[in-house]
Amino acid sequence: MAIVLLLRHGHSTANAAGVLAGWSEGVGLTDTGRGQAERTAERLAALTVVRAVSSPLQRCLETVAIALPGLDPSTDDRLGECHYGGWTGRPLAEAAKDPLWRVIQDDPASATFPASDEHRAESLGQMAERVVGGVRALDAEVEAEHGRAAVWVAVSHGDPIKAVVAEAVGAGIGGLQRVRVDPGSVTAVHVTSNRMVLLASNTHAGDLAGLVALPTAHDAGDSTVGGGAG
């Protein structure tokens, strides 16, 4: 199936303030974030990107507008940030003192965010199921319309992209916190009929063309025994 480039939104005002933004409104890019999106635009310029799908949140929409100015992106709630419930807007330094923090770090499969009258809450497992399922469904649409070698971009958030990477390497939600995804980074994943294959994670510079080339000697869902030949 097709290849997805997972782009995390650029550095945001919530990142600068050290708070957990979640689905809060009015969280946009900083100057640093806009610069990151501009550099991503340079990296993507050599590729034929057939489709861009973004989280509906402001910081992602601002990122895709800069990184892919020639495309009219669609939005999909499945690519949205985790619903952090009562943790939404909370300073990370304060959250790190909460007993739930250790559960999130050590056993993310059992971590559920506290309910809130103002903000929806979900577990990390529910978030991962939503995002991974969404990426698979969108990828199938891209392949059906543009072919198996098509490249598309999904603009999302840290935890959702971490969930896709953890799925691609077979770790599942239990491996969520073994993945790092920085603002403005690009992660490449090949979604095949039987598994996801991680091509690159958390990249900030360099040519992307080599990451989206399909293997010719074997099925794209397989990895070369002994490693790739270059």
Side-chain angles (χ1 to χ4, degrees):
M1 297 172 74
I3 293 173
V4 57
L5 299 178
L6 297 150
L7 170 59
R8 185 181 174 191
H9 63 79
H11 187 263
S12 72
T13 54
N15 295 139
V19 300
L20 194 61
W23 285 70
S24 299
E25 296 182 0
V27 178
L29 298 183
T30 62
D31 288 343
T32 296
R34 284 185 282 273
Q36 290 168 338
E38 289 169 357
R39 288 192 292 276
T40 301
E42 296 173 358
R43 300 181 70 197
L44 293 172
L47 303 180
T48 300
V49 177
V50 301
R51 184 176 178 184
V53 186
S54 175
S55 157
L57 295 173
Q58 178 182 332
R59 53 200 184 274
C60 287
L61 293 174
E62 290 181 1
T63 298
V64 71
I66 297 170
L68 287 163
L71 284 181
D72 183 17
S74 59
T75 61
D76 195 307
D77 284 357
R78 292 174 295 185
L79 299 181
E81 179 62 286
C82 184
H83 291 278
Y84 293 118
W87 274 34
T88 304
R90 191 175 188 184
L92 289 169
E94 175 189 304
K97 301 174 184 177
D98 191 304
L100 179 59
W101 181 273
R102 284 266 45 97
V103 179
I104 293 168
Q105 301 303 318
D106 302 333
D107 186 19
S110 66
T112 298
F113 291 95
S116 163
D117 292 337
E118 185 177 0
H119 300 285
R120 177 182 163 190
E122 66 183 341
S123 69
L124 286 174
Q126 289 169 326
M127 178 276 295
E129 184 177 2
R130 163 171 61 85
V131 177
V132 172
V135 167
R136 286 191 178 280
L138 291 165
D139 193 88
E141 292 177 10
V142 170
E143 185 195 22
E145 185 174 354
H146 299 283
R148 63 189 296 268
V151 177
W152 64 286
V153 171
V155 187
S156 189
H157 308 263
D159 278 341
I161 295 175
K162 286 160 61 178
V164 176
V165 173
E167 175 69 19
V169 298
I173 186 63
L176 185 74
Q177 303 298 12
R178 297 175 182 266
V179 180
R180 178 170 172 172
V181 177
D182 296 320
S185 65
V186 176
T187 293
V189 171
H190 189 187
V191 182
T192 75
S193 58
N194 58 336
R195 63 171 66 90
M196 290 182 170
V197 178
L198 180 63
L199 305 177
S201 179
N202 201 37
T203 71
H204 294 268
D207 183 13
L208 292 169
L211 300 180
V212 300
L214 293 177
T216 57
H218 56 77
D219 185 84
D222 297 337
S223 290
T224 304
V225 176

